Amino acid sequence: MANNLKDKTAKGLFWGMLNNGTMQILNIVIGIFLARLLSPADYGLVGMLAVFTAIASALQESGFSAALTNIEKPTDNDYNSVFWFSTIMSVLLYTILFFCAPLIAAFFHQPELINLSRFVFLTLLFSAFGTAPTAYLFKNMMVKETTILRVSSLTVSGCVGIFLAVKGMVYWSLAWQQFTYIAMTSIWRFFIIKWRPSMHIDFAPIKRMFSFSYKILITTIVNQLSQNLLTLVFGRLFTAKNVGNFTQAFKWDTMASSFVSGTVAQVAQPVLVEINDDSERQVNVFRKMLRFTAFLAFPAMFGLALIAHEFIIITISEKWIDSIPLLRILCISGAFLPFYTMYQNLVISKERSDIYMWCTIGLIAVQFILVLLTYSYGMVFMVTVYSASVILWLLVWQYYAKRLIGLKLLDAIKDILPFALISAAIMIACYYITLPIANLKLLLATRIVMAAIMYVAVMKILKVKMLDECINFIRKKKV
């Protein structure tokens, strides 16, 4: 039983890493092309709509994906109930947002948002079809199938976006890219799972799951507000160009941090649910996941901060230079974001969606107050304060982890801090060693190669088991 779970977890992490790694590489390539073809203002306009789409998507899903995952053996009727709930909710939400489009445009002082928002919000109608299939894939840890689905959809949607940008469709190319990706992933999920919806509509399972799922729903909405808080504030206070620069920085930061968090998220909740009855084992598994997360997150995010200047200038040109300081600040807090995924999955696996909800509400409340107190100091200062709050709030999550499974703060620090310190030291050393290099392309390549070699070498010298386990597993996959 233990070996089966270990093997299942390892395979899930492997395919999760492949999934997110491939997705991020594709996102980088697509993002470079689009950023060169489009202006910061184009990104700013689409970015202003992100919070509305995210909240509507949360309402449509209503936490039922997590609720289905927590059911030991969900039935076809359970999935069917979620499918029809999401479908009906999406139609209602799109109707409301369609008529709210002029109000959204007036709030941001951007009349172009009326037609743009009505088109972007159409994605809600398609994403509704994918809610139940997504839960099915997640529950059954079908990470390989999810990888193929997402990669193929991103490739096609990226090509659509680039083609339209070349044709001069400006911000519409970003909207069409988003629309194509969501439509494809939602529809194609039905081709890789056995389950099919039926016309027998029974909302009894929805009522049964709601006491758990509504807390996930509230939390997800608050989470989206937290993630999009600065974009919302910047969109109201600054120009579309300023919003675009922040959106670009936030995009690259999210792309890097989600590689790690997405990898872990593929397996964390299902695995933790499976060993819920064994607290000691759950602590050991959770701590190992913390170490794995730290092993990947800190070198990835601190490394991106190291190469931010030359990376932005080389890939998407000097017109995005104002996004560089924002990206560097976001990378520091971005290194800690994957740990949120771990702690959130832990409390959900314990069916404590109330903790998940209140922790997230507390964070957004703190961030909102900080933004109100600091907005007059400018964008960079606001982002710095925002990032600091993200890092410090992990202590709140750790407090509840101690209550739920007995994980001590000192043990969590022992698992996380060494990787953070080693990564920071390596990046600082690389920065000063490579300072004399004037050529940006050579500087970028040198810093990447040097940082990677130094990190692996230090891990080897210190005999870090995590590195050996990753290497051994990859070797087995090749055999």
Side-chain angles (χ1 to χ4, degrees):
M1 175 68 178
N3 288 333
N4 287 339
L5 180 62
K6 184 177 181 180
D7 187 54
K8 189 190 295 185
T9 305
K11 287 180 179 178
L13 288 171
F14 173 80
W15 279 103
M17 188 183 298
L18 184 63
N19 177 1
N20 288 279
T22 307
M23 288 290 288
Q24 301 319 325
I25 291 172
L26 282 172
N27 271 318
I28 289 171
V29 174
I30 295 167
I32 289 171
F33 275 103
L34 289 174
R36 283 186 165 272
L37 292 166
L38 303 175
S39 70
D42 294 325
Y43 276 88
L45 285 171
V46 177
M48 290 173 187
L49 299 175
V51 66
F52 301 100
T53 307
I55 291 175
S57 297
L59 288 168
Q60 170 192 288
E61 192 266 348
S62 290
F64 289 118
S65 293
L68 283 169
T69 304
N70 260 24
I71 297 174
E72 187 174 350
K73 292 182 179 180
T75 65
D76 285 352
N77 194 40
D78 292 330
Y79 286 110
N80 199 59
S81 182
V82 171
F83 174 84
W84 285 111
F85 173 86
S86 295
T87 301
I88 294 170
M89 181 63 78
S90 69
V91 174
L92 177 62
L93 288 168
Y94 180 74
T95 303
I96 294 171
L97 288 171
F98 181 91
F99 289 106
C100 286
L103 298 175
I104 295 172
F107 177 81
F108 290 115
H109 312 296
Q110 301 288 344
E112 302 97 326
L113 289 179
I114 297 177
N115 291 328
L116 181 63
S117 64
R118 285 172 173 171
F119 176 75
V120 169
F121 295 150
L122 278 173
T123 57
L124 294 170
L125 302 178
F126 285 92
S127 62
F129 299 137
T131 301
T134 299
Y136 184 96
L137 288 164
F138 185 54
K139 174 67 177 177
N140 293 281
M141 294 177 68
M142 298 172 68
V143 188
K144 179 180 179 180
E145 292 80 358
T146 303
T147 302
I148 297 170
L149 167 73
R150 293 179 66 201
V151 169
S152 58
S153 298
L154 181 59
T155 302
V156 174
S157 64
C159 290
V160 169
I162 293 170
F163 174 78
L164 293 177
V166 171
K167 292 296 182 180
M169 294 288 286
V170 290
Y171 51 81
W172 284 104
S173 58
L174 295 172
W176 269 103
Q177 181 199 11
Q178 183 179 337
F179 177 86
T180 305
Y181 177 76
I182 293 176
M184 288 183 66
T185 53
S186 298
I187 294 171
W188 286 9
R189 284 186 179 102
F190 286 102
F191 291 94
I192 58 177
I193 64 173
K194 297 178 181 179
W195 177 82
R196 291 290 182 274
S198 70
M199 294 303 297
H200 174 68
I201 303 176
D202 175 17
F203 288 131
I206 290 291
K207 296 177 182 177
R208 211 167 46 242
M209 290 184 276
F210 191 69
S211 61
F212 174 84
S213 70
Y214 88 88
K215 296 164 190 168
I216 300 293
L217 166 62
I218 294 173
T219 307
T220 304
I221 291 174
V222 174
N223 240 340
Q224 293 300 335
L225 284 171
S226 173
Q227 292 175 18
N228 293 281
L229 176 64
L230 293 182
T231 304
L232 190 65
V233 173
F234 293 159
R236 177 68 178 175
L237 299 176
F238 302 103
T239 65
K241 180 181 178 181
N242 293 133
V243 178
N245 281 316
F246 173 76
T247 302
Q248 192 69 228
F250 188 75
K251 182 190 76 172
W252 291 113
D253 170 65
T254 303
M255 204 181 295
S257 64
S258 64
F259 163 69
V260 182
S261 57
T263 298
V264 176
Q266 298 285 340
V267 299
Q269 188 189 349
V271 169
L272 291 170
V273 168
E274 196 164 333
I275 56 175
N276 237 337
D277 296 332
D278 190 340
S279 296
E280 184 178 351
R281 189 179 177 197
Q282 197 169 44
V283 171
N284 292 333
V285 169
F286 186 78
R287 288 190 64 187
K288 190 167 186 177
M289 286 185 176
L290 281 181
R291 292 192 294 273
F292 177 77
T293 302
F295 173 75
L296 293 179
F298 289 114
M301 299 310 301
F302 291 173
L304 180 56
L306 169 70
I307 64 171
H309 180 267
E310 50 271 25
F311 175 77
I312 292 294
I313 300 299
I314 291 171
T315 56
I316 58 178
S317 78
E318 291 188 6
K319 67 182 176 182
W320 294 100
I321 196 167
D322 290 337
S323 69
I324 295 172
L326 300 173
L327 174 58
R328 282 178 167 158
I329 297 166
L330 289 171
C331 282
I332 305 303
S333 60
F336 293 85
L337 283 176
F339 297 105
Y340 275 77
T341 301
M342 284 299 308
Y343 283 105
Q344 288 164 358
N345 279 281
L346 172 64
V347 298
I348 291 172
S349 71
K350 288 292 186 180
E351 298 189 351
R352 293 301 306 272
S353 53
D354 57 325
I355 293 177
Y356 184 19
M357 179 180 69
W358 288 115
C359 277
T360 309
I361 289 174
L363 175 60
I364 185 64
V366 169
Q367 289 175 336
F368 185 73
I369 293 170
L370 290 174
V371 165
L372 288 178
L373 293 174
T374 60
Y375 76 90
S376 60
Y377 293 95
M379 189 177 286
V380 173
F381 189 80
M382 285 175 66
V383 173
T384 302
V385 173
Y386 172 89
S387 297
S389 69
V390 170
I391 297 171
L392 293 175
W393 199 257
L394 272 175
L395 293 173
V396 177
W397 286 101
Q398 169 56 37
Y399 167 77
Y400 285 106
K402 173 70 168 63
R403 289 183 56 184
L404 290 173
I405 61 173
L407 176 65
K408 298 177 182 178
L409 175 61
L410 184 60
D411 288 335
I413 291 174
K414 287 179 180 177
D415 292 329
I416 295 172
L417 189 59
F419 294 101
L421 294 177
I422 290 170
S423 299
I426 288 172
M427 301 312 158
I428 292 171
C430 285
Y431 176 80
Y432 284 106
I433 292 171
T434 57
L435 266 182
I437 301 176
N439 184 284
L440 286 181
K441 291 181 180 178
L442 179 60
L443 178 62
L444 177 64
T446 303
R447 282 180 169 175
I448 292 174
V449 173
M450 181 180 292
I453 292 174
M454 288 178 67
Y455 187 71
V456 173
V458 171
M459 293 293 107
K460 276 288 187 182
I461 292 170
L462 297 178
K463 298 180 180 179
V464 177
K465 292 182 180 179
M466 188 58 64
L467 176 64
D468 294 332
E469 289 181 2
C470 290
I471 292 173
N472 290 336
F473 183 78
I474 292 172
R475 284 174 178 171
K476 287 179 183 179
K477 296 299 292 185
K478 290 182 178 180
V479 175

